Amino acid sequence: MRYILFLLTATALLDLGCSKKDAYTAPQLSGIRVTAAGVNTAIVVNQLVSNNRSSLVAAGTCWSSTEHQPTLENCEGHTTNQPGSDGQFTDSLKGLSYNTKYYLRAYATDARGNIYSVVDSFFTLQTPYPPGMPAMGGVVLKVDSTGMHGLVVAGPQYVVYRPWANQYGLIGGTNANFGSGPANTLAIVAGSNNDPGTAAAYCNNLVLSDYDDWFLPSYEELYYFRNNMSFGQWLSYVMDMYWCSSEASYSEAHFVVIGGIASFNSYDKMIGKAVLPMRRF
């Protein structure tokens, strides 16, 4: 009987010693706090409150505009940080979209995995350059997801009639894709089509409000204008065929009809058509 009691006591002490030896304290995080929000950035402050920070591998913030419970596996972005001696760390969130609601939470990672704080949310600010706003030498046509970059179109008073070229010849290398207007324009001007009386040269030489980086838009850029212009713009701009910087052949270039339709989209380069300069910002 004494032997059995001794064995049970020894086993209990052994279990107690093992539980103390294997004691584990997971990282703990307090609520996340957004201290500043911009158009495409935000500053957040996190606090690690665990007493066992020696096992910490990394900490940071993860966020998403679609996932209400963002994790490192499903988030749109995350930071990697190390808390200070007081457990606090500040993260800068970048590359956000303007006027968008984001869900975010802090995380801490140790050898056993990830721990997350409660979820918080905030809105980024509206873009300072909404489409239709007069700015940077013209009128804002399009703004990208950051809210700080996009396209500007020249005002209707700067629409002129010019031929695409004053002689036939293949330029080559031009593109119809959105964003290719600047490169197309430079290629056209460099390819002996630099007569000031031609479409690309007119845009390339234009200076409005000290902005001198105007270009002849590509087919898709001009088509975007056609499909997204406001009603006020539709009334202001001449309804006609507009030259694109996208070449069609040795003797023809592409155009877009503003205010109408056509059964074809290319025409003789040496015929005058409307020209609408654009620029990036």
Side-chain angles (χ1 to χ4, degrees):
M1 184 67 177
R2 290 180 179 177
Y3 174 76
I4 294 174
L5 180 62
F6 172 78
L7 183 60
L8 291 173
T9 303
T11 302
L13 289 174
L14 182 61
D15 289 343
L16 181 61
C18 290
S19 63
K20 287 183 178 179
K21 183 179 180 180
D22 294 339
Y24 169 71
T25 303
Q28 298 177 35
L29 294 154
S30 65
I32 193 168
R33 181 162 52 94
V34 179
T35 60
V39 175
N40 52 21
T41 60
I43 303 296
V44 299
V45 176
N46 303 308
Q47 181 72 42
L48 185 71
V49 295
S50 170
N51 293 323
N52 184 23
R53 293 201 295 273
S54 60
S55 64
L56 192 69
V57 175
T61 305
C62 57
W63 64 89
S64 174
S65 61
T66 57
E67 297 291 340
H68 292 198
Q69 298 284 333
T71 66
L72 291 175
E73 288 73 32
N74 66 14
C75 66
E76 294 174 16
H78 72 276
T79 60
T80 302
N81 212 327
Q82 282 290 340
S85 58
D86 61 353
Q88 183 170 288
F89 56 101
T90 300
D91 283 331
S92 177
L93 282 53
K94 300 178 181 179
L96 308 179
S97 298
Y98 71 92
N99 194 31
T100 300
K101 184 175 184 178
Y102 281 93
Y103 302 89
L104 71 166
R105 54 182 177 172
Y107 74 89
T109 302
D110 67 3
R112 298 199 181 193
N114 303 315
I115 305 297
Y116 295 94
S117 72
V118 296
V119 177
D120 196 5
S121 63
F122 72 101
F123 276 92
T124 49
L125 301 182
Q126 179 60 272
T127 173
Y129 307 111
M133 174 185 178
M136 296 167 285
V139 178
V140 177
L141 172 63
K142 184 182 187 300
V143 62
D144 67 11
S145 63
T146 69
M148 303 302 291
H149 304 285
L151 275 181
V152 170
V153 295
Q157 66 271 37
Y158 298 104
V159 172
V160 297
Y161 282 84
R162 297 284 190 277
W164 200 91
N166 57 9
Q167 60 183 355
Y168 296 131
L170 188 65
I171 299 297
T174 65
N175 200 296
N177 295 344
F178 198 101
S180 59
N184 288 352
T185 301
L186 292 178
I188 294 167
V189 172
S192 300
N193 281 283
N194 53 11
D195 187 313
T198 56
Y202 166 72
C203 297
N204 189 61
N205 296 333
L206 187 64
V207 179
L208 298 176
S209 300
D210 295 327
Y211 294 101
D212 61 358
D213 54 350
W214 300 91
F215 59 85
L216 184 64
S218 69
Y219 183 84
E220 289 187 3
E221 288 163 340
L222 194 51
Y223 211 83
Y224 183 91
F225 172 74
R226 168 204 162 105
N227 289 344
N228 294 274
M229 62 186 344
S230 67
F231 184 70
Q233 288 174 321
W234 188 84
L235 292 176
S236 299
Y237 285 87
V238 59
M239 303 292 110
D240 209 333
M241 298 179 180
Y242 284 67
W243 278 130
C244 306
S245 56
S246 308
E247 188 176 37
S249 67
Y250 174 89
S251 59
E252 293 188 347
H254 291 292
F255 67 87
V256 169
V257 179
I258 304 299
I261 59 174
S263 59
F264 55 100
N265 66 1
S266 65
Y267 208 76
D268 190 318
K269 292 178 177 179
M270 295 180 64
I271 302 298
K273 295 193 181 304
V275 177
L276 174 62
M278 291 188 184
R279 64 174 300 270
R280 293 176 179 172
F281 70 93

